[in-house]
Amino acid sequence: EVQLVESGGGLVQPGGSLRLSCAASGFTFSDHYMDWVRQAPGKGLEWVGRSRNKAESYTTKYAASVEGRFTISRDDSKKSLYLQMNSLKTEDTAVYFCARGQGGSYSSFDYWGQGTLVTVSS
Amino acid sequence: DIQMTQSPSTLSASVGDRVTITCRASQSISSWLAWYQQKPGKAPNLLIYKASNLESGVPSRFSGSGSGTEFTLTISSLQPDDFATYYCQQCSTYPLTFGGGTKVGIK
């Protein structure tokens, strides 16, 4: 059974940093693109960024709103995906989901974690 | 960036109704469109991928159609479990973008 479990959310002050983790199980982690998607309270879904798979050298892509502040990495030996968030702003407050790409460059997201809440506030 | 516009933003319907949600892309995305269902406090759930392909385990009352810039999600006979918010997403071009959502409520 495919499972994705996020952790690491919490309350952080503006300008601070936080690292989210997503533990994967039930599939060959290195074969899949993995993405982060967020949802501000009461709002819609916003794509944050992507880590491509091993075959594509784990290259990354980011939304403009987080480029230069957020970094996606992964550790295939631990079947884990990470989101390092620096220089956090109040507008980064959201539930952060990790999601699995179905396959290839044009992947939709076939499995999602339950989400972890990040609150940026003084 | 490709803008995804969903309509309507809210709709009220009764059990058994046929429901259609529209998603329009600001430029052609071929068939690289997905539909998700989200219930309050839960993660989204993939319903349709590549515009018209039903995800495994999703009831056959859900269907998708369209290509280029115009897409539709149809629920042939609305069930109590279908009251939720629905999002379209383009998977064609970075940054990946979602529609604003359509909340389906009880009439």
Side-chain angles (χ1 to χ4, degrees):
Chain A
E1 178 194 6
V2 173
Q3 282 198 315
L4 299 171
V5 179
E6 301 95 337
S7 60
L11 175 64
V12 61
Q13 291 188 337
S17 297
L18 207 57
R19 189 198 197 203
L20 306 184
S21 300
C22 171
S25 60
F27 65 100
T28 304
F29 185 66
S30 59
D31 284 351
H32 286 265
Y33 288 27
M34 295 295 299
D35 291 60
W36 289 97
V37 176
R38 68 184 180 183
Q39 187 168 37
K43 302 297 184 182
L45 300 167
E46 180 188 15
W47 177 74
V48 172
R50 162 169 288 176
S51 168
R52 294 185 180 93
N53 57 15
K54 182 177 181 179
E56 298 188 49
S57 304
Y58 306 125
T59 51
T60 53
K61 294 288 286 186
Y62 298 95
S65 58
V66 307
E67 180 97 54
R69 299 188 299 123
F70 290 10
T71 302
I72 296 173
S73 62
R74 59 197 289 170
D75 183 338
D76 283 358
S77 68
K78 295 182 178 179
K79 299 185 97 174
S80 291
L81 177 74
Y82 305 103
L83 180 65
Q84 177 67 44
M85 303 185 294
N86 298 330
S87 304
L88 281 161
K89 306 175 181 181
T90 55
E91 53 263 41
D92 295 318
T93 294
V95 174
Y96 285 73
F97 299 99
C98 65
R100 188 183 86 160
Q102 249 182 333
S105 298
Y106 302 103
S107 291
S108 45
F109 306 134
D110 59 354
Y111 287 93
W112 297 65
Q114 83 288 351
T116 187
L117 176 62
V118 172
T119 303
V120 184
S121 175
S122 55
Chain B
D1 298 3
I2 297 177
Q3 308 302 317
M4 305 300 293
T5 305
Q6 281 182 240
S7 60
S9 56
T10 61
L11 72 87
S12 295
S14 301
V15 172
D17 284 354
R18 182 181 181 88
V19 169
T20 298
I21 299 169
T22 298
C23 181
R24 179 177 291 112
S26 60
Q27 64 189 73
S28 178
I29 58 170
S30 185
S31 295
W32 301 115
L33 184 102
W35 289 98
Y36 302 89
Q37 178 194 67
Q38 188 180 32
K39 297 181 179 179
K42 301 294 186 181
N45 181 50
L46 178 65
L47 301 174
I48 302 287
Y49 64 95
K50 205 176 175 185
S52 60
N53 292 272
L54 192 68
E55 174 68 355
S56 176
V58 174
S60 59
R61 62 181 179 273
F62 291 93
S63 64
S65 65
S67 66
T69 62
E70 297 278 339
F71 302 87
T72 59
L73 173 70
T74 300
I75 309 172
S76 61
S77 177
L78 196 68
Q79 298 301 300
D81 191 47
D82 301 338
F83 292 98
T85 300
Y86 295 83
Y87 293 94
C88 62
Q89 180 220 348
Q90 65 86 11
C91 312
S92 169
T93 304
Y94 295 112
L96 307 182
T97 47
F98 292 86
T102 296
K103 185 173 182 178
V104 177
I106 301 172
K107 182 184 285 183

